[in-house]
């Protein structure tokens, strides 16, 4: 058993939402997985979050989801906490993924709201209470209104934070008022972890009291985000300004290419392919950039690699 | 092999989106399933659609979804076409459900768009083309923007209707302009089936050229909807007006109880329980009406049973 | 005083949402107004609705709105009821428009919800009660959720229908379930007028009990819509099918040109210009089709004119 | 002529979106206006923004809007820049308000997108270009997607920032990714002012490079927000944390009372009434808190007054 029995609370720093390396035939790319895990650990991240949106969790067969949990935990081997996404529309499948996570030595699980039926806050609360009560691993809530259609409202999150098995929340709403409301309402619970999803908002949320970021771009450039996190945590404002500018240049130049909602993810996989870490394949209904799009992003990615290399951040 | 080798095209009439009878421990209620299938066939429906939204498909474990396909097809035994919902976020799981459907003797499969990532129309087209190309059973498109976040736009549906394996579309948008645009654009394909989801809109869509309805209320009262369909198909306006009034009274008095998005489904399961067909349990994240809500709906349901009995429609 | 003191209730038939003829410098095109009013009356419409969305009401200065009321009523001279849109975000301006309408001999006013602040149903109810209580002319509610952000929910509409000064509702939601709920709930009030906005849904709503349509396309081709309305009202299904096909061809071929939300309105003004009735200018923030778009729609419009001419519907 | 001919650029600090003091009969409360203007100037604000959403602009008759511009500018008498909201659905009315602003000595005008028709980015760009080209006063863009339905996308804002007459943007989206994208894209234009709307996000946006806040709560407690702004501008994190906690307590305890979208505004007017600055009346379709709601918020407001008094921030 290699789990971190004592998951540090609150969990701080950068916990990348790890992309899932796939072969062209949609099997797991096990070699890519090894390289990606080592790339991230070498980059100084505080943990790994697998099977989130960036991990294309909902596009993967269950067999592959279970395999990914085992293979990732085996590779990490207790060096870092592994957080496992168990978001699903079927409670039974979420619990099954959580069992595999537990058996594999993961530290916690993460669940966004069930994303098919439209739920009100009472239904959402009841769902999370039932889920948390059935788990042995601790649970992070995951607010993702853009994909799940429902907001975990502040009052619902506060009530759920009373549950002994719910230890944190990841917010991907990009709404700074929501995050501040949550943060101020939870000041009496300093161990409750508050992480922010969009990498563009990570630095400012940490400046304002957040514990860290689940920053997708950290798949490509973990050192950039780790350094930016540290600067924000230490209130080193000059470094924050400097690195935030790079983070935003990445966002502005890459994440809108092709005008897909998932351009962000396509760009990250394209970059990992250029860096020989894993291939760029994506599971349907998403797809990797086509040839023209890849040609467009390649020099941009190369330029960022140079920029970061010069600063010792690659 | 008991499949209807020649699925009548276009498929007309009432094809209820069958609810999934569940025991309290969330196993399939096999006895309830037998009774429900016989209730529907005796009610004169033209086919059964299982594993749709009303079937709580996305809330069921995969084991149960596969079991339901087999058990339903075995009970139907070729007496009617069975349409199987394979809607999923993971293509691999959709194909696996389709295989079970094919092996069990189902007549066709039905797929709404993958409902997690936000897709544009190009991605949606590519997804359906890939899906249709991988299936042996014919495919119905299922437009469900309220739950899947994306509309299968008219132009996308028209292009997809060219695929030899795509034979129809079920529209649950409740948008009459959309349905009319589709209907008029597809007049050159008289075999392409157009079904409407919301039971409140079934009669009018049939009057205007639609082929039938996937009417949830037909789980309770199949004869009412079959009779209403027939009246609409025969342009018997007096009967349409008479029965449509009952359909709307059911909708207005039952489907908003408790103010859940799923009140409709809770009401249907409550009625089936009162009628001793199956129990009212629902899979998380949904839940059956609580005691107070059940007490509220019981006399309303009893009244509708009386009303329909008097007309020979129970 | 030329008002129809006795506005027929319910109001039935086609009541076009009259476009506002404008000169290039954004003054009223008074000559165009004369021709348009005569074109519509000659087309057999049952009334005129001015200052609705199709009338670009919210884009016009108040001076022009008041002028349009006076000039239209003067031209109509009691031959038909004139309904005047008084939708506004400021109650004071709505009341001022209503005063001009009253003084000019209009028969009723029409108001969609105030469209800036997000209102709940209680606020909406209070607003309408205050408005209706301050008016001397009778009031039609106008449900336009796509532009006003809020639905006049069925229960709110039912409560408002009790007000002695509220005599009807125009629904532009295109949602057939909503319209049917309203219709069935209001069966006890046969004088309460229910009109439908989208012209594509007019025939079916009349078949199902609606009183008529506020059909934008009737600006161009009033006889087509009047004939279609009459066929639907008389349950002449062959004629309905025949004319509905033309209505949908117009919608499918013209109303999406250029991919603007307002393509529908641009097309109607382009057609009126081709027919020498009025010019195609539109008030900012909208704009008429540019040269390329106009070139594209011109032969399509000419073809429809030919088609309708052959049937005596031009 | 008392205008600040040289409006400082970028404009920094707190520019409250001034509420509009109203009498019960909806006339302007001129005495309240005097007191409110003096309260704000004494509180150290950098400018006044009148006729924004918090000023209930769209609910006021035009006569009152013009009167408010004149009366406010006369009272300010050049002591501060006055920014005048000219947001409207009719360009002609926006220009008329701008003329009054110019004649009264205001420093700039502010315009959100026209909020009735659904506009695409091309239409939005053309609209703003036409507006800016017709003004003599400089223009601030105002991004308010929650009320106007459309986002001024980053690429559109960047293109508009090239216009010599467009000097800044106020963002009320609460989306931190949007604000950061804008900020980083506009780094080459250090004089272009970027202000943030939601007061809960003001401190963090200033820490990350924003120029100040249009903070509604500053109507009640200008010194609190001015001090918080200054702390953020000076990177005095201890003070930021201390005062931000108060700002969030105000937001969490007051701005959700009664569950209206406008609870925020009702609370501010209730507080100003308690502080004897002006009455709490609001223009339809909004309404002041009722007696029960007022009773609920009164002790909360009194407590905040005590808290701020102790710190010399009242």
């Amino acid at each position: 058993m290699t789990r971190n029995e004592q998951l540090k609370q609150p969990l701080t720093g950068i916990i990348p939402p790890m992309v899932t390396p796939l072969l062209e035939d949609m099997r797991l790319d096990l070699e890519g997985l090894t390289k990606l895990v080592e790339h991230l650990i070498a980059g100084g991240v505080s943990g790994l979050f697998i099977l989130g949106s960036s991990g294309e969790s909902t596009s993967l067969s269950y067999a592959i989801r279970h395999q990914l949990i085992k293979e990732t935990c085996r590779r990490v081997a207790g060096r870092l906490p592994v957080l496992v996404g168990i978001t699903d529309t079927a409670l039974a499948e979420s619990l099954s993924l959580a069992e595999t996570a537990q058996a594999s030595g993961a530290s916690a699980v993460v669940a966004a709201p069930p994303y098919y039926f439209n739920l009100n806050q009472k239904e959402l609360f009841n769902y999370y209470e039932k889920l948390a009560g059935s788990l042995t691993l601790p649970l992070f809530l995951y607010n993702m209104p853009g994909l799940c259609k429902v907001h975990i409202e502040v009052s619902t999150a506060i009530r759920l934070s009373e549950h002994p098995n719910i230890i944190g929340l990841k917010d991907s709403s990009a709404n700074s008022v929501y995050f501040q409301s949550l943060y101020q309402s939870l000041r009496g619970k300093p161990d409750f972890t508050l992480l922010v999803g969009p990498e563009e908002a990570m630095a400012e949320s940490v400046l304002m009291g957040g514990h860290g970021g689940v920053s997708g771009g950290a798949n490509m450039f973990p050192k950039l985000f780790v350094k930016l996190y540290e600067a924000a945590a230490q209130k080193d404002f000059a470094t924050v300004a400097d690195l935030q500018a790079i983070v935003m240049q990445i966002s502005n130049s890459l994440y809108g290419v092709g005008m897909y909602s998932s351009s962000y993810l396509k760009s990250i996989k394209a970059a990992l392919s250029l860096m020989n870490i894993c291939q760029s394949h994506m599971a349907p209904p998403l797809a990797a950039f086509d040839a023209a799009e890849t040609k467009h992003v390649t020099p941009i990615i190369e330029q960022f690699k140079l920029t970061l290399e010069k600063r010792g951040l690659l």
Side-chain angles (χ1 to χ4, degrees), chain A residues 94-111:
Chain A
S94 291
L95 294 177
S96 168
L97 290 165
E99 255 177 59
T100 298
Q102 157 87 11
S104 305
S107 295
V109 294
V110 183

Side-chain angles (χ1 to χ4, degrees), chain A residues 20 28 33 50-51 64-72:
Chain A
T20 301
L28 264 192
L33 180 61
I50 63 172
L51 292 175
I64 287 191
R65 291 189 222 184
H66 285 276
Q67 184 191 8
L68 180 72
I69 298 170
K70 289 177 207 155
E71 296 288 349
T72 306

Side-chain angles (χ1 to χ4, degrees), chain A residues 239-250:
Chain A
T239 304
V240 167
D242 181 38
L243 300 183
Q244 175 73 5
I246 301 176
V247 166
M248 292 311 305
Q249 285 157 17
I250 292 172

Side-chain angles (χ1 to χ4, degrees), chain A residues 6-82:
Chain A
Q6 310 288 119
L7 179 66
K8 185 169 80 73
Q9 289 189 33
L11 181 58
T12 59
I14 299 301
I15 301 98
M18 199 179 80
V19 304
T20 301
L22 294 170
L23 299 174
E24 192 165 6
D25 64 4
M26 292 299 118
R27 283 179 301 135
L28 264 192
D29 171 4
L30 293 170
E31 191 190 321
L33 180 61
T34 302
K35 287 201 237 170
L36 181 56
V37 166
E38 296 308 321
H39 172 64
L40 296 173
I41 293 179
V45 302
S46 304
L48 295 185
F49 168 40
I50 63 172
L51 292 175
S53 306
S54 299
E56 296 173 80
S57 171
T58 57
S59 306
L60 304 175
S61 73
Y62 282 87
I64 287 191
R65 291 189 222 184
H66 285 276
Q67 184 191 8
L68 180 72
I69 298 170
K70 289 177 207 155
E71 296 288 349
T72 306
C73 287
R74 198 152 60 76
R75 279 159 175 77
V76 172
R79 289 178 286 174
L80 296 173
V82 176

Side-chain angles (χ1 to χ4, degrees), chain A residues 32-304:
Chain A
L33 180 61
T34 302
K35 287 201 237 170
L36 181 56
V37 166
E38 296 308 321
H39 172 64
L40 296 173
I41 293 179
V45 302
S46 304
L48 295 185
F49 168 40
I50 63 172
L51 292 175
S53 306
S54 299
E56 296 173 80
S57 171
T58 57
S59 306
L60 304 175
S61 73
Y62 282 87
I64 287 191
R65 291 189 222 184
H66 285 276
Q67 184 191 8
L68 180 72
I69 298 170
K70 289 177 207 155
E71 296 288 349
T72 306
C73 287
R74 198 152 60 76
R75 279 159 175 77
V76 172
R79 289 178 286 174
L80 296 173
V82 176
L83 280 57
V84 175
I86 59 169
T87 304
D88 207 280
T89 54
L91 181 61
E93 299 294 352
S94 291
L95 294 177
S96 168
L97 290 165
E99 255 177 59
T100 298
Q102 157 87 11
S104 305
S107 295
V109 294
V110 183
Y115 42 89
Y116 189 70
F117 288 116
N118 290 310
L119 304 178
N120 64 28
Q121 295 295 309
K122 178 184 155 194
E123 291 172 306
L124 199 56
F125 177 82
N126 289 343
Y127 169 79
Y128 272 122
E129 201 170 52
K130 187 178 298 230
L131 176 64
S134 309
L135 292 171
T136 45
L137 287 178
L139 171 66
F140 284 82
L141 308 174
Y142 181 178
N143 189 43
M144 179 49 113
L147 295 178
C148 299
K149 292 174 287 188
V150 64
H151 237 299
I152 307 176
E153 287 180 8
V154 173
S155 57
T156 303
I158 301 305
R159 285 176 64 206
L160 287 168
S161 74
E162 304 290 334
H163 194 289
N165 212 20
I166 296 178
I167 63 167
L169 181 146
K170 175 201 166 186
D171 175 37
S172 288
S173 71
N175 186 308
S176 45
V177 176
Y178 176 84
F179 195 83
Q180 275 297 302
S181 291
L182 216 50
Y183 170 69
Q184 298 289 342
S185 301
L186 287 165
R187 292 189 78 162
K189 292 185 186 294
D191 288 351
F192 193 88
T193 300
L194 278 179
L195 302 172
V196 80
E199 61 202 68
E200 297 89 342
M202 186 271 290
E204 73 186 272
S205 87
V206 170
L207 284 173
M208 297 302 289
H211 295 113
V214 183
S215 310
N219 278 285
M220 304 182 278
F221 306 128
K223 287 182 189 166
L224 168 64
F225 288 90
V226 168
K227 197 81 176 183
L228 177 55
Y229 163 76
E230 287 168 356
Q234 293 156 17
K235 315 290 186 242
D236 168 1
F237 200 77
T239 304
V240 167
D242 181 38
L243 300 183
Q244 175 73 5
I246 301 176
V247 166
M248 292 311 305
Q249 285 157 17
I250 292 172
S251 174
N252 286 340
S253 62
L254 285 179
Y255 292 173
V257 171
M259 305 288 282
Y260 307 98
S261 285
S262 55
S263 295
Y264 142 91
L265 195 46
K266 291 173 198 271
S267 291
I268 290 172
K269 282 207 154 175
L272 290 172
S273 171
L274 271 175
M275 295 161 84
N276 288 313
I277 291 173
C278 66
Q279 290 180 288
S280 61
H281 303 298
M282 298 180 74
L286 303 183
F289 278 141
D290 64 24
E293 290 160 341
T294 303
K295 196 171 161 186
H296 173 72
V297 299
T298 297
I300 305 175
I301 294 167
E302 294 294 356
Q303 188 57 49
F304 283 119

